[in-house]
């Protein structure tokens, strides 16, 4: 069975600095998708970035980028120039290519210090 | 375009009561799903549907029923509420066939069972 592990329950970073959130996963599939979702206090789940496993290039969305290491089954999220609005829970999620069910990590609470 | 809507936003039930959580989407998405979110855990899939008239169980289906009579609506029914069903419930939807597997989430329903 696939599993997703986020080993950092909480992280804090100074505003304008860079922070990296860790995620590891376990799967025997070769094709799959990985996601980072942000959940602010409003509770709304917002997609931050996604990565297709067949793509070697790491995904980037403005200040958000990932370090995808397929062999190591690692998928970390880097947030550059952290802003107060980045404070939220961040969830890593996995989905098989032929299956739309998302498997979620337990989340990392990100605190931004002004 | 309202996206994914859920009602109610908050609900308090007594043990043994029944109720229906409503979910609707106006994006003509084939795939719809229900997740529950508990403290310290990632989201867990309850039920999902790949189209009208087709539903299937996820990871934690016990105590919940679903039906999909239209593409737009996917209600979740609690037959006899139990304190263990106290949670935040999210409905999500997506297109089938998209390689990105991106799911769009509703705002959630916070349910408390006394």
């Amino acid at each position: 069975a696939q599993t997703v592990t986020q080993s950092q329950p909480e992280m804090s970073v100074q505003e304008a600095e860079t922070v990296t959130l860790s995620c590891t996963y376990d799967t025997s599939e070769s094709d799959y998708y990985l996601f980072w979702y942000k959940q602010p206090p409003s509770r709304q789940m917002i997609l931050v970035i996604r990565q297709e496993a067949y793509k070697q290039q790491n995904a980037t969305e403005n200040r958000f980028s990932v370090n995808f290491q397929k062999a190591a089954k690692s998928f970390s999220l880097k947030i550059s120039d952290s802003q107060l609005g980045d404070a939220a829970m961040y969830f890593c999620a996995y989905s098989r290519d032929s299956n739309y069910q998302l498997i979620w990590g337990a989340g990392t609470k990100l605190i931004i210090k002004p | 375009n309202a996206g994914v809507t859920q009602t109610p936003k908050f609900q308090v039930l007594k043990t043994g009561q029944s109720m229906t959580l409503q979910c609707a989407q106006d994006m003509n998405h084939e795939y719809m799903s229900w997740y529950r979110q508990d403290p310290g855990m990632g989201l867990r899939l309850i039920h999902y549907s790949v189209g009208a008239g087709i539903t299937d169980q996820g990871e934690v289906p016990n105590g919940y029923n679903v039906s999909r009579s239209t593409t737009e609506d996917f209600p979740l029914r609690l037959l006899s509420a139990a304190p263990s069903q106290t949670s935040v419930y999210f409905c999500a939807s997506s297109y089938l066939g998209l390689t990105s597997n991106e799911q769009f989430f509703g705002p959630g329903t916070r349910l408390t069972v006394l």
Side-chain angles (χ1 to χ4, degrees):
Chain A
Q2 295 89 359
T3 58
V4 176
T5 302
Q6 294 178 249
S7 59
Q8 307 153 316
E10 186 174 297
M11 292 281 286
S12 64
V13 64
Q14 206 71 37
E15 191 177 5
E17 293 187 345
T18 295
V19 64
T20 298
L21 308 184
S22 300
C23 173
T24 59
Y25 58 95
D26 189 24
T27 183
S28 58
E29 303 290 332
S30 58
D31 288 326
Y32 49 87
Y33 299 91
L34 295 164
F35 305 85
W36 279 99
Y37 278 88
K38 171 185 177 181
Q39 186 180 39
S42 67
R43 215 166 59 198
Q44 182 70 49
M45 204 64 79
I46 303 164
L47 178 65
V48 175
I49 198 166
R50 61 177 173 266
Q51 174 81 42
E52 292 88 340
Y54 66 87
K55 289 186 178 179
Q56 293 187 341
Q57 187 173 5
N58 289 326
T60 299
E61 290 287 342
N62 301 315
R63 297 183 295 108
F64 298 87
S65 62
V66 299
N67 184 6
F68 173 49
Q69 302 288 330
K70 190 172 185 179
K73 297 180 181 174
S74 170
F75 182 61
S76 60
L77 175 70
K78 186 173 84 171
I79 305 174
S80 304
D81 185 25
S82 298
Q83 300 175 1
L84 294 177
D86 295 334
M89 286 291 293
Y90 286 81
F91 292 93
C92 178
Y94 162 99
S95 175
R96 275 169 48 189
D97 181 41
S98 59
N99 183 314
Y100 292 79
Q101 300 180 40
L102 288 167
I103 309 296
W104 297 75
T108 296
K109 182 178 181 180
L110 179 63
I111 298 168
I112 310 295
K113 299 176 185 176
Chain B
N1 216 348
V4 181
T5 58
Q6 291 183 237
T7 55
K9 285 188 168 48
F10 302 93
Q11 182 71 49
V12 178
L13 292 178
K14 294 181 179 178
T15 297
Q17 286 185 318
S18 64
M19 80 157 295
T20 300
L21 306 184
Q22 300 292 342
C23 173
Q25 52 90 11
D26 60 359
M27 297 173 283
N28 206 30
H29 287 168
E30 302 95 336
Y31 182 84
M32 296 186 73
S33 57
W34 277 101
Y35 292 90
R36 60 177 288 171
Q37 182 180 27
D38 299 301
M41 302 178 69
L43 278 68
R44 292 181 292 167
L45 183 66
I46 304 172
H47 285 286
Y48 66 97
S49 167
V50 297
I54 307 169
T55 63
D56 206 346
Q57 298 180 349
E59 181 185 353
V60 289
N62 292 342
Y64 307 95
N65 273 0
V66 291
S67 60
R68 183 97 179 268
S69 56
T70 67
T71 300
E72 295 77 20
D73 301 298
F74 191 45
L76 178 71
R77 278 183 285 277
L78 283 70
L79 305 174
S80 177
S84 61
Q85 294 178 304
T86 293
S87 189
V88 178
Y89 292 84
F90 287 96
C91 179
S93 71
S94 71
Y95 289 111
L96 284 177
L98 267 187
T99 57
S100 66
N101 283 19
E102 178 178 352
Q103 295 191 24
F104 297 83
F105 284 80
T109 295
R110 181 177 293 278
L111 176 67
T112 302
V113 183
L114 303 175

